[in-house]
Amino acid sequence: MTTIEVLVALTGLYLAVGAVFSIPFALVGAGRIDPDARAATWGFRLLLLPGAALLWPILARRWATGAQPAEERTPHKCAARDRTGAEA
Amino acid sequence: MGHTYQAVQWNPQKKRYDQLVVGGVLLYLAVFMAVSAAVFPEATLETLLIRGLGTAALVLLHIILSIGPLARRDPRWLPLLYNRRHLGVTMATVAFLHGAFSTLQFHAFGDVNPIVSLFTSNTRVDSIAQFPFQPLGACALVIVVLMAATSHDFWLRNLSAPVWKALHMLVYVAYALILLHVALGSLQTESGTVTPAALGLGAVWLGALHLRAARAEGARDREEEVREAAAAEGWMDACGVDEIPEGRAKVVVAAGDRVAIFRSEGHLSALSSVCQHQNGPLGEGRVVDGLVVCPWHGFQYRPRCGTSPEPFDERVPTFRVRVEDGRVLLDPRPLPLGTETDPVPVSSAGSSPA
C-alpha cells in the first residue's frame, strides 16, 4: 500500500467510527454535555450528525467526562467578577 | 441558559433571505450553463454543471468574505452579516456538489479508489502548467464542510468561542487553496485570460476591503483607547446626548470591550454590548417593549440590570451613566452581574449618577 492509500484508509476508518458515534451522540450524548440540547428538535439532532462524525474524539471525551459548556469569558464579565471579589 | 436548540432559527426575514439565496444560486447555474453551452458547444452537460457549481461556490465565497468588512464600514450591510452562516452553508453545499460530481466524473470509473485516484493520478508537482490542482480543491472542501458542519450555535457553545472562531478563520486558508485550485486548473483547461483576470480582481477586491476595514477599525479603537485612558479611574466622556437615537444605542469602548449606551423613553442605560448568546452585538440592536433585543437571535435584556426576562437567565454587566451639559458620562468599571441601575433622564442637568 502507498502512503496515500494508507492515509485514505485511515481517514475512512475515522469517519466510519464517527458516523456510528454520531447517532447515539445526537440522540443522547448532546443532551448530556449541553442541557439546552436535551429537549431539542429532531431537525437539530439531524444537523448534529455531520459535525459529530467529524469531531467525534472531542465529543466522546466530553461525554465520557461529563463536561458542561463553560460560561463565556468576556473582559466585562471578568472585570465585573473581579469587582465583586474586591467588594466582598 | 434558558433556551432549547432548534435546527434553524427562522423568522420571516431569514426565510425570505434563504429563498433569495437558493433562487439566486439556481438562476446563476441556469445562466452560467446556458452561456457556457453557447460559448463552448463541445462541452458536455456534466462539465458545464461541474464548472457552474464551482464558480457559484467561488462567487458565494467572495460575497461571504466581503460582508464582514462592508458591514463594519456601513451598517446597511448588517442584515447580510447576521445571516452569513446560511450563506456559508449554501456555499459549502454547492462546493460539495462540485467536488462530488468532479470526483465521479474524473476518478470513479477506474480500478483505483476514487479518493486515492484524486490524490495520485497527477504527481507533476514540479510543473506549474500541469500542477495537480484537484487535491488543493479537496483540501479546501474539507475546510468548508467542517465549517458548515459546525455552524450551529451548539458547536459555538461546546467548542468554546475562541476555538470555534479559530476554526472558522480557516476560511482564509480555504480561500487561498481555492484560488490556487482554480488558477492552476484553468491553466490546464483553457488558454484565455478571463479566469485569471476574474480571480485577480476578486483577490484585489477582498484584500482592499479587508485592509480598509482594518484601518478604519484600528483608528476607531485607538481613539476609544485614548478616551478610555483619559478617563482613567473616573468617568469617561462617552458621547453627546443627541448622538443616541430613541430606542437605539451608542457603542463605546470601556474596560477592554464595547459598551452600549441605550436611550429608551428618554432615559439612558449602559450595558456590555456583548450578548451572552454567541457574543452578538447588543449595541446594534434596539429597545422593543422596554427590552434590549440582540439583532442576531433576538435575545432580550432589561436595560436597568442586564438580565433576561424569565424564564431565561442570561446576564450581561451594566455600567453607571450620568448626563452633564448635554454630554453622556460613563463609569468604565462594569458593575457585578445583575446590579440594578436607575435609568438616567436625558434632560438631567448637573451630576446625576445612575
Side-chain angles (χ1 to χ4, degrees), chain B residues 204-256:
Chain B
V204 168
W205 159 259
L206 286 178
L209 263 186
H210 279 73
L211 210 61
R212 280 186 68 178
R215 274 192 189 154
E217 192 127 306
R220 245 193 330 262
D221 284 350
R222 275 193 297 279
E223 217 172 87
E224 292 290 354
E225 278 165 16
V226 168
R227 204 183 329 189
E228 193 183 351
E233 288 295 301
W235 293 76
M236 61 185 274
D237 184 357
C239 60
V241 166
D242 298 342
E243 291 178 52
I244 312 177
E246 178 61 32
R248 304 302 290 253
K250 168 80 179 177
V251 177
V252 297
V253 174

Side-chain angles (χ1 to χ4, degrees), chain A residues 33-47:
Chain A
I33 67 166
D34 186 341
D36 288 350
R38 277 181 200 146
T41 62
W42 285 103
F44 163 75
R45 293 179 196 283
L46 204 62
L47 282 189

Side-chain angles (χ1 to χ4, degrees), chain A residues 12-27 49 52-54 56 63:
Chain A
L13 182 67
Y14 175 89
L15 291 177
V17 173
V20 171
F21 169 84
S22 67
I23 296 166
F25 178 78
L27 293 173
L49 295 176
L54 290 169
W56 65 266
W63 189 359

Side-chain angles (χ1 to χ4, degrees), chain A residues 34 36 72 75-76 83-84, chain B residues 3 5 157-158 254 258 272:
Chain A
D34 186 341
D36 288 350
E72 205 65 64
H76 286 169
R83 190 168 176 180
T84 311
Chain B
H3 76 289
Y5 293 120
R157 187 162 182 231
N158 285 280
R258 284 158 206 243
S272 173

Side-chain angles (χ1 to χ4, degrees), chain B residues 229-293:
Chain B
E233 288 295 301
W235 293 76
M236 61 185 274
D237 184 357
C239 60
V241 166
D242 298 342
E243 291 178 52
I244 312 177
E246 178 61 32
R248 304 302 290 253
K250 168 80 179 177
V251 177
V252 297
V253 174
D257 217 329
R258 284 158 206 243
V259 177
I261 306 171
F262 278 94
R263 177 176 186 158
S264 173
E265 296 177 353
H267 287 71
L268 301 174
S269 306
L271 303 174
S272 173
S273 185
V274 186
C275 180
Q276 187 166 331
H277 176 244
Q278 278 194 31
N279 297 343
L282 273 186
E284 290 168 15
R286 53 180 79 211
V287 182
V288 179
D289 295 333
L291 295 170
V292 171
V293 181

Side-chain angles (χ1 to χ4, degrees), chain A residues 2 4-5 8 25 30 33-37 39-41 43-44 47-48 50-52 54-55 58-59 62 69-72 74-77 79-81 83-84 87, chain B residues 1 3-7 113 115-116 119-120 146 149-150 152 154-155 157-159 161-162 254-259 272 274 276 279 315 317 319 333-337:
Chain A
T2 64
I4 292 288
E5 284 173 328
V8 169
F25 178 78
I33 67 166
D34 186 341
D36 288 350
T41 62
F44 163 75
L47 282 189
L48 280 187
L54 290 169
L55 299 175
I58 299 170
L59 301 172
R62 289 180 64 88
E71 193 185 329
E72 205 65 64
T74 66
H76 286 169
K77 281 191 177 169
R81 208 166 290 131
R83 190 168 176 180
T84 311
E87 286 173 3
Chain B
M1 301 278 271
H3 76 289
T4 297
Y5 293 120
Q6 299 167 20
N113 177 318
I115 306 296
V116 173
F119 283 96
T120 56
L146 183 62
T150 56
H152 196 279
F154 172 86
W155 298 104
R157 187 162 182 231
N158 285 280
L159 293 176
D257 217 329
R258 284 158 206 243
V259 177
S272 173
V274 186
Q276 187 166 331
N279 297 343
R315 294 189 301 174
F319 293 79
R333 296 168 302 165
L335 296 165
L337 289 168

